[in-house]
Amino acid sequence: MTQSEKQKHGGDEEVIKELCTANGVSYEKVSQDGCNIRSLEMFFSGYPRMVGLSLFPRLSQLIVVGQSISRIQGLDACPQLRELWVVECQLTRISGLQTSHELQKLYLYDNKISKIENLEALVNLQVLWINNNHITVIEGLDALQNLRELNLADNNIERIGHSVDPNTALQNLNLSGNKISSFKELTHLARLPELRALGLKDPQSVPNPVCLLCNYATHVLYHMPGLQRLDTYDVSNKQIKDAAESTVMKKIMYYNMRVKSAQRQLAKTQAKLLEHKRKLQKVPEERIRALNYALKSLEYEQAVHRTSARTWEDVSPPLPEGSSEYSHPPADVPRDPDLEQKVHSKLDALKGRLKLWTRKREEVENRHQQSLALATEKKELMVHFLLMELETVGNIRFEEGRSSDPWFTSCYELLLSRFCASDFKAHGVTGIKINRIVRIHNRALRLRFEDKLHALLASEESTTFSQNYKRWLEYLFYVSDPEHASENEFLHVPENGFKTVDEYKALGRERAVPLSNSMSVCEKPRMEYALSQANACGKQDADPLPFRHGQILVAKVFLGRSMPAREGVAVDPDNYPKLHSVYRNASKEPGAGTHYTLIHESVHGNCECSLRQSQWFAFDHELALPEYLIDFEYVTQDLPQCVFPQQKPCHSTEDSPLTTYEINLDEEALNMDPVPKQRPKLLILDEKTVLEAARANVLSQITVLNLHGNSLSKLKEISCLTALRQLIISFNEFTHLEDISHMPNLEVVDACFNRIVTLEGVRGVGRLKQLDLQWNQLTRARDDTAVLRKHAPSLLRLNIQHNPWHRPEAVRITVLGRLKSLTHLDNQLVNEEEAAAAVQIAACSRINQAALIAHSRTERERPRSLSLLSAAQLLTRLSPNPWDLSAEPEPGWTSKITALNLDGQRLSRLSNLDRLVNLRWASFNNNDISKAEGLDNCQHLEELSLNDNYITKLDGISKLHCLTRLSLNGNQLTSLDGAVLDRLPNLHFLSVENNSITSLHGIHRARSLLEFYISNNNITTTRDIYHLKSLTNLIILDLYGNPVVEKQHNYRIYVVFHIPSLKALDGVAVETSECENAKDLYGGRLTLDMVAEKLGHSNVSEVTELNLQTSSIRTVDLAPAELFQNLHSVNLERNNLTSFSGLIYLPNIKVLHLNHNHIESILPRQKVQAHLTNRQMLYNKVNSSGYGQQGLSKGSRDAGPGDTLEPLMSSLEVLHLGHNGISNLANLQLSRLTNLKALFLQANEISQVEGLEGLMQLRELVLDRNRIRALGETSFLSQTVLLELHLAENRLRELNYLQPLPELRRLFLDMNKLQDLSEIDKLESLPSLVELSVVGNPVSRRSQHRQSVVLRLSRLQVLDGMTVSLEERTRAELTYTDSQCSVPTSSAMETNVPCLLPLPMPRGVPLRGTAVNGGAHHFLGPELPCNLDEMPLYDAPKYRKQKPYGGLMPPSCRSSQAELNFRHLRGGAPLPTTCLLPSGHRVLIPYPSQPDQDGRYQSHSAPKPPPM
């Protein structure tokens, strides 16, 4: 043993003694007692090395705290160790644990460990604490499958990534005190299913930067709903989780709308670009068509000339577009040399012109594609920004600037100030146009920038530097170098900031963040790269300025201490210690000292811009904060043609002088000799025309048939041409080609320039080798090639250019993958590699085992991610493939599949999905599927996406009862099948955008729907909105792009009113003010849609009665009124109408019930004039006070406003206006209802009877329960045919001005203030009065009023509701006669009421009428007429006042029998009365003649009199 070993051994012995002493173990007996020791502890000192542990072979717990241990050792002798503490020591790395297989708890906190390593053997480890170390990366934990608690607090960790994915048993994780700043990093923790406690800002540690962001807790709780504790707080409450879930769902919906808005903006741009392209291509296409027509016509004439010499059957391959289908004839054919030369010259000229216009059209197409790509790129950038906002829960926000924003102006001027046109003069650039400025709000980057800046200033010793730090803040430009960029930095930098200097070095650039204060300097790498790429491509029609459109980042940079970069010294922070940045002037070269210029110095001239232009290199990426993103384009002086995006609108090519010149050249070529003869166009093909066209005698011998340039749409006789080999039908009107079926020898068909929409129907053309279908209307490449593959197996050449294909980018691959025999497609040779690739793609277009393995996942839980992707798309993107691709899958593997993403696989149908019984999320977007079939066994399917297919019906998904989300955008749906939707009870998301749906009928069956997207369809009527009213949970609706949006006035408010649950409409949130406006505008509006909703159908033309009581209706808008031709009765009682509104336009309405409304006039009330005072306005409103009539004379008030106005509602006969609060009849304008026969105005506030002058047909008028005090002279001036008048419960004291009512039969005056019988005398002027009621008046309380009234009104049959019988009238008259005989006659007695003795007044049974038994013959004998209408009236009103006996013959003039017979005659022939049925129709009711029906009379309309 050497001396050093002896010393070491002696030192170890002292350490062991200290260890034994500290744990109460005798050092002398340690060899014997050590086997029983289970736990050892050493605190703060005395144990510098881990020695002597071999003496404790059964040790299970070792705690070492505060020692100077630098490495773990000696644990090999402790195989049972389960818990190890080596904390607050000097450990620099993890080691010495290779044999500690039983270790369950390991505590290594407060050391100097920089890397997690050497833990692979600890398979039983459950607790690991390595907090407060120097760890920067989470790694080395893959083997710890049983780890339940991990403490990594107080380290330097910035990213989490997938480092803890294998630790699925992890329950407690502490990451406080690190540098995690992104929400994206936290989402990785959602893959830990057992995680229950998470710490990111523990009170004992500094919080992570991410904890300082908004919505931090919401984000965490949404992604990890199983958490019980977050940052030591209890978050197990379900309400907390629900609140987080609700917040995130709202944000997802909001950003979904924002993304749709961006997509719509792109669609608008695409539409404008397409329109512009068509405008620019109009002339080239017209010229191409004209030149092709002339070319083929000339070839036709040439062929005819050749055929006249001999029949030529050899057919050569077609030349490029527009060229002849024929080759030169054989040499032995006779020909005219001059004619042949002219023909060839003209053919060459036409082909040259055709080539020119074809090139011009292709140039326009290329420019269109460039502009389209640019617009798409901008849209994708904005969508990426929106998704970034969503993923960061708003902590990164992008604000698009407007010219009114101060920051926009400042940024705009900054860019212009640093742009020098002289730098770009060599490229023809004269200016710069700024299209858009986006302000970047990144809270995490800003906090990092501020913290780093404050820390830097705090560490500076110089106070001058700290106080003047703003001097070193500068705004600099950054442009990505496409040659040295690994990704799109305009997506990376706004989110994560600039790369580190080491990352820039790895990309081949300087070890610093490259910035500049000059446009030309920062743009130089991009410009050079774009020019080199353009030269490499060699496209002549490309934009001559390939770098025209660009983007630039503006960053706030702290330059700090800086200096010019030294020549020959690499830009590296190590070469410039204590500096924060360096710069290099634009005119200095980093080399041997020679001058160089980024933009040649001769261009500058006298410009001084180059003196200020510098390139800066910042050494700390955290001190560069991106703040603005500017989208710009360079302006050139002489553009060769209009550029598509955001350019000033250019004129059509028709107006261009150059175009006119080219057209003139075309005409010269067309007019060259020989000029083909004009041939009559064939419309119908028969045997004769076929023979003439082919110049043949027998149909069976025709081998070539040229029908070019006709107007044919059918080939009826073509089947007879059994020998036909070549058929030319260009420039016709064909839409299908089924007529060429079953032609066994047909080899060549030229059908260009027709209107063919499909090849369906083509059969039996097995020898067809060449087919020209260019310039037609074909759209479905897959279906059409399927027809050719089956029925034209020998096809070698196919030309299908210039058709409106549905997916033009995939047409060539689709055709080549199915037509394997093709050698030429669209005049291009098909090479072997291209054909093999197409066949391979076609082979993968079926759902087979390989497809399922490659595109399926087996996760059981839906991914919780702030994303707008479907679950299937998310899982296939985020989760690794669970299958072993090198081995055969185990039995039953298909039942484990829960997610399937087969987007873009060119599938034609859904097959082989029967075994996917547990499939929950599926996506089949961007395929060729025409039917949603094959999913019947996928009973657990929750999400299904079938966007961009060819589906026409919803059939096939009715059995998916668990379906919650269904997306069918971009298909060919025309309707929504309610029967299918009714079987999807859990559906809460439905998207059917970009279809052809014409009606929303059936959507009401999707009762659970929350989100409904149906933009860009063909919904045209507002009636469809009513189908959505039953969706009480609907909160998001999108109808954008439907015709109803433009057609419906106030569309948005209209929809908001009818669907009050909406929170967002057409991508815009519904504001509270919109809801209020909707209620004001559409509340109580009776429309055609509302009627259809109430009726349950839309066939309103058959409706005769309409009853909408108590429906809160305020206005009526039943347009068009012609639909209601059969409507006769309308009941709108108990609503909120103030006028008749749209009811006046209903053509045949007869009965109108408007009781219990607020009717003020027939037409809507005019607004109060502005010049009226407030008092006058008040007077006009309160008409019952009399003030409203101040400006009108009495005559004017009586006449009313309706006498000079045109009549309205000519068919209306019955009108009910009771309980409306009407105070002024004149304002109602009732005189305009000229055909009215019954008017009910009971229970209003009418004080004057006026405004009835035009109601000359009125039969019944009800004015009960009003405030009428007196009748006016003109009140009933025009009511000469009035039969019934109700004035009960008013305030009448007098009965004046009733003389104009000669036909009045029934008068009800109950509950008024009539006091004197003299007022009753005035009723003698009513010759037809048969019924009167004065119950409740003071006059009725007189003891003998009944006898007096009976005597005064000789024709009265019913008084106060009781029949006036013959006996009553006779006794009253006899009593009156006897009293007159016993009392002296005097003038006074003649004018007073006779003093009759009181007679008993028995109450009888209420009757409708009365009559005396027997009839007139019983009393008068046969010599008198029985028809009372033939008898003259006994007395006229003008004579009644002169007779003292009230119009009766004096008793002395009559015998007793004659008197009785006469009285019987007066009372025995009662006049009939009328009443109204509830329907509004009037019926005639005669008085009954049965004696047992005598009694009290009950009026139909009048109130029942009170008991007497």
Side-chain angles (χ1 to χ4, degrees), residues 666-681:
D666 289 348
E667 295 301 324
E668 292 178 4
L670 292 171
N671 293 328
M672 290 175 62
D673 290 333
V675 177
K677 299 178 181 179
Q678 293 291 333
R679 296 178 290 110
K681 292 189 175 183

Side-chain angles (χ1 to χ4, degrees), residues 314-473:
D314 296 331
V315 181
S316 61
L319 296 173
E321 179 182 335
S323 61
S324 173
E325 294 283 352
Y326 303 92
S327 63
H328 294 291
D332 57 345
V333 176
R335 67 190 70 179
D336 183 351
D338 294 337
L339 181 61
E340 289 283 338
Q341 182 63 33
K342 291 180 180 179
V343 168
H344 285 300
S345 298
K346 186 170 183 178
L347 284 174
D348 292 341
L350 291 175
K351 291 176 182 178
R353 301 306 304 167
L354 189 61
K355 185 177 181 180
L356 171 72
W357 287 111
T358 301
R359 187 177 71 252
K360 286 184 176 293
R361 184 185 180 279
E362 290 176 353
E363 289 177 359
V364 174
E365 181 66 31
N366 291 335
R367 291 291 181 88
H368 171 74
Q369 293 299 329
Q370 291 174 7
S371 302
L372 195 61
L374 185 64
T376 304
E377 182 182 348
K378 290 181 179 179
K379 186 273 296 186
E380 290 177 351
L381 180 64
M382 288 308 300
V383 169
H384 182 87
F385 285 166
L386 290 172
L387 296 179
M388 195 184 300
E389 289 186 20
L390 172 62
E391 291 171 356
T392 60
V393 204
N395 285 282
I396 299 178
R397 188 168 56 87
F398 298 89
E399 177 186 2
E400 189 163 353
R402 295 174 294 182
S403 57
S404 58
D405 298 327
W407 63 265
F408 179 91
T409 305
S410 300
C411 192
Y412 188 95
E413 294 174 351
L414 174 67
L415 185 65
L416 293 183
S417 67
R418 295 181 178 180
F419 168 80
C420 181
S422 301
D423 296 342
F424 302 89
K425 188 175 180 180
H427 302 287
V429 175
T430 59
I432 187 171
K433 177 184 177 184
I434 298 176
N435 296 321
R436 181 178 58 181
I437 301 178
V438 178
R439 190 177 186 182
I440 303 169
H441 300 272
N442 191 320
R443 189 186 300 269
L445 292 182
R446 183 170 294 277
L447 289 174
R448 186 179 73 176
F449 176 84
E450 293 174 353
D451 291 345
K452 190 64 177 282
L453 181 58
H454 292 162
L456 179 64
L457 296 177
S459 64
E460 287 290 338
E461 298 178 357
S462 173
T463 57
T464 304
F465 182 85
S466 301
Q467 293 174 354
N468 299 318
Y469 73 95
K470 291 185 178 180
R471 294 173 52 190
W472 290 280
L473 287 174

Side-chain angles (χ1 to χ4, degrees), residues 508-567:
R509 308 184 72 176
E510 289 85 354
R511 190 165 176 259
V513 180
L515 301 161
S516 177
N517 63 355
S518 168
M519 277 285 294
S520 59
V521 173
C522 65
E523 275 278 87
K524 178 179 178 290
R526 188 181 74 88
M527 293 164 56
E528 292 178 348
Y529 181 81
L531 289 171
S532 63
Q533 291 294 313
N535 293 332
C537 294
K539 290 186 177 180
Q540 300 297 325
D541 56 341
D543 192 339
L545 198 66
F547 55 85
R548 180 182 304 277
H549 297 272
Q551 291 175 323
I552 190 169
L553 269 169
V554 181
K556 179 194 289 187
V557 185
F558 180 74
L559 299 175
R561 291 189 174 88
S562 61
M563 64 173 289
R566 295 191 295 267
E567 294 183 6

Side-chain angles (χ1 to χ4, degrees), residues 1089-1104:
D1089 298 330
M1090 182 178 178
V1091 172
E1093 180 190 17
K1094 296 289 185 181
L1095 297 176
H1097 61 82
S1098 58
N1099 189 17
V1100 296
S1101 59
E1102 302 297 328
V1103 177
T1104 58

Side-chain angles (χ1 to χ4, degrees), residues 264-278 368 372 644:
R264 286 173 187 157
Q265 192 63 37
L266 174 63
K268 286 183 179 180
T269 304
Q270 290 174 333
K272 291 180 180 178
L273 292 175
L274 182 60
E275 181 182 358
H276 191 57
K277 183 190 79 168
R278 288 173 177 170
H368 171 74
L372 195 61
F644 282 89

